[in-house]
Amino acid sequence: MKRLSGWISAMLLMTSATSFAADAPATLATRLLDQLDAAQYSAAEAMFSAEMKAAVPADKLQAVWESLPAQMGAAGKRGDAQTSEAEGFRIVVIPLEYAKGRLQARIVLDKDDKVVGFLVQPAAPPPATAPAVDAAFIEQPFIVPIGPEGKNGLPGTLALPKGNGPFPAVVLVHGSGPQDRDETIGPNRPFLDIARGLAAQGIAVLRYEKRTHARPQDFSGAFSIDDETTDDAVAALAALTATAGIDAKHIYVLGHSQGGMLAGRIAKASDGKLAGLVLLAAPVRPILDILAEQNRYLVSLDGSISAEEHAHLDALNAAIAKVRRDPDATLMNLPGRFWQQLEQVDPVADVRGSGLPVLLLQGGRDFQVVDAEWQLWKKGLQGERYRFHHYPALNHLGITSNGKGGMAEYEQPGHVDTGLIDDIAQWIKARP
């Protein structure tokens, strides 16, 4: 898999609904995939809502769908459709087998049987096993209240040490894109590993569904980085502060990737609720520059760049230039205003301005957030309140990696390095 931006990732543009048309959602979703396989892209587009037609017209649908075999090998059989409902929408997930791995199509239908959301993504792994009965912690459901008067909520899990509290606590803040509470990527669940590893050492950990994953209907039209990340992290901090068994004076944010980039911004908005920040694989430079570099790196992994790949890079560079000057343009189905705001973030200045102690962690085999970012952090943050740990063998997920990094490594099962988790626990426990 050579591209970061190859998946169909249209925003799930939705309106409220209370009743459904007669056709079974699995039948409709299967019909859509049949049309794509038959190269009937105009017919597939006809199943879309007006918003989806604008976001993913037939030509774009064709380009992405036909790129999948090139990345994943020959298409095989499909798995059984699974259907669920959420706030008046029907969601159908269909497993897709390819020679080089498994994907899944996630199709969202409204009351009029129109497709209002379509996402192709790596297949979800089997559910995680529950903690052992004799584990040093328990896991309990947790809702992060959002929206007016907290009427809505993001589902989460609180890993709470057994015994007498109060316990220091950490809120995990995701990287870019729609992420679940475990930050599941292929068979890997880095946030699950970190949460359970810290909880076993007496530190409570809250992980929650990112709003773009749990409530994509909130993201039609223009939205900000605060809508996507900051505000919900602040809400999670406030909810955790009021939770029994938690030491409200010792709550930390651990931000991964984009979450680390925004950690200082979260601290500023948290109204003094934080005791410190942990940044894992956090970028510093403009995010669109990094996106372009990542794509150039990935297409060159096999030692050559094909004409199709050159065209992809040219199209990406043109799209980046457009969203930088036009707030109404889109890139990867995110509005230009979002990208422009994200590029205005100065992560180093925000972290410095927080006045908080900071632990920074970086893997030496990270091809997404590279050594240039690490050096900028080290140059910009000097003094006793900053601690740096570098792990030569770890990738972007904090998992041991071998060879030259690429997207395929995320399909290999692994776990976040226990030494990295131990370093976080020791740093938190050493806080006065």
Side-chain angles (χ1 to χ4, degrees):
M1 199 183 315
K2 296 177 70 176
R3 297 180 188 170
L4 285 180
S5 58
W7 310 117
I8 301 171
S9 56
M11 280 296 156
L12 305 184
L13 304 171
M14 303 181 181
T15 58
S16 61
T18 57
S19 62
F20 299 130
D23 286 347
T27 301
L28 292 167
T30 299
R31 183 187 306 164
L32 175 66
L33 297 184
D34 287 344
Q35 290 167 340
L36 294 176
D37 284 342
Q40 298 173 354
Y41 299 107
S42 294
E45 183 192 34
M47 297 183 67
F48 287 2
S49 68
E51 294 91 344
M52 280 291 292
K53 288 178 182 177
V56 192
D59 58 343
K60 183 175 182 180
L61 194 59
Q62 176 180 359
V64 177
W65 190 256
E66 292 182 358
S67 75
L68 294 178
Q71 300 175 58
M72 299 297 296
K77 64 180 182 179
R78 297 180 202 149
D80 295 332
Q82 297 180 341
T83 303
S84 60
E85 286 186 22
E87 299 188 6
F89 296 92
R90 296 162 295 171
I91 303 168
V92 184
V93 176
I94 300 178
L96 306 175
E97 296 287 343
Y98 286 84
K100 297 180 181 178
R102 297 181 303 113
L103 304 176
Q104 64 184 26
R106 187 172 185 263
I107 300 157
V108 183
L109 301 158
D110 67 8
K111 66 181 179 62
D112 297 318
D113 283 344
K114 291 297 185 181
V115 175
V116 292
F118 184 31
L119 179 70
V120 178
Q121 58 191 167
T129 57
V133 175
D134 61 350
F137 62 94
I138 60 171
E139 289 186 332
Q140 58 191 43
F142 194 101
I143 298 295
V144 176
I146 59 172
E149 301 178 357
K151 290 182 179 180
N152 299 316
L154 300 177
T157 301
L158 177 62
L160 189 65
K162 293 177 180 177
N164 297 321
F167 301 103
V170 175
V171 173
L172 303 182
V173 181
H174 321 73
S176 60
Q179 300 277 0
D180 66 15
R181 72 192 71 189
D182 295 335
E183 213 181 36
T184 303
I185 300 177
N188 302 296
R189 297 182 173 93
F191 274 11
L192 176 71
D193 293 342
I194 292 170
R196 291 182 174 179
L198 292 178
Q201 300 189 54
I203 299 168
V205 181
L206 173 60
R207 61 193 197 274
Y208 59 92
E209 306 284 310
K210 193 173 180 181
R211 195 190 300 212
T212 45
H213 177 83
R215 295 182 54 83
Q217 64 269 29
D218 291 349
F219 293 91
S220 60
F223 57 91
S224 70
I225 57 175
D226 297 322
D227 297 326
E228 194 233 18
T229 298
T230 311
D231 293 347
D232 294 337
V234 172
L237 289 166
L240 192 58
T241 299
T243 300
I246 300 300
D247 184 349
K249 295 181 179 180
H250 287 88
I251 297 181
Y252 303 80
V253 154
L254 187 158
H256 177 223
S257 196
Q258 181 182 292
M261 184 181 192
L262 297 176
R265 188 181 187 90
I266 294 167
K268 183 178 180 180
S270 68
D271 194 25
K273 291 185 174 67
L274 282 174
L277 303 172
V278 181
L279 278 58
L280 171 59
V284 174
R285 293 176 297 148
I287 201 71
L288 289 173
D289 288 347
I290 296 173
L291 176 65
E293 287 181 8
Q294 289 174 351
N295 275 262
R296 285 196 298 271
Y297 170 82
L298 289 171
V299 300
S300 65
L301 276 176
D302 60 4
S304 64
I305 301 178
S306 68
E308 179 190 6
E309 290 165 343
H310 273 297
H312 163 71
L313 294 177
D314 290 343
L316 176 63
N317 289 335
I320 288 173
K322 187 173 183 180
V323 296
R324 277 177 161 157
R325 66 176 182 267
D326 182 358
D328 295 320
T330 61
L331 173 62
M332 297 170 65
N333 300 294
L334 295 171
R337 290 181 181 85
F338 176 90
W339 291 109
Q340 291 173 11
Q341 186 186 23
L342 193 58
E343 289 217 310
Q344 291 170 4
V345 173
D346 186 336
V348 175
D350 288 346
V351 167
R352 266 201 313 259
S354 73
L356 295 170
V358 185
L359 175 65
L360 297 102
L361 313 167
Q362 177 70 32
R365 292 187 178 274
D366 188 340
F367 73 88
Q368 291 186 250
V369 176
V370 296
D371 187 66
E373 313 299 317
W374 183 241
Q375 298 304 325
L376 288 171
W377 283 116
K378 294 182 73 174
K379 179 180 179 181
L381 302 180
Q382 298 184 18
E384 287 300 313
R385 66 186 175 99
Y386 307 113
R387 291 290 182 268
F388 296 83
H389 287 278
H390 189 269
Y391 308 87
L394 303 188
N395 65 14
H396 189 62
L397 308 184
I399 296 173
T400 299
S401 172
N402 296 305
K404 199 168 186 178
M407 296 298 288
E409 72 185 79
Y410 297 155
E411 296 300 316
Q412 302 301 314
H415 293 281
V416 174
D417 182 69
T418 56
L420 181 149
I421 295 173
D422 289 346
D423 287 339
I424 299 171
Q426 291 171 15
W427 182 79
I428 290 174
K429 291 179 177 180
R431 309 311 324 150

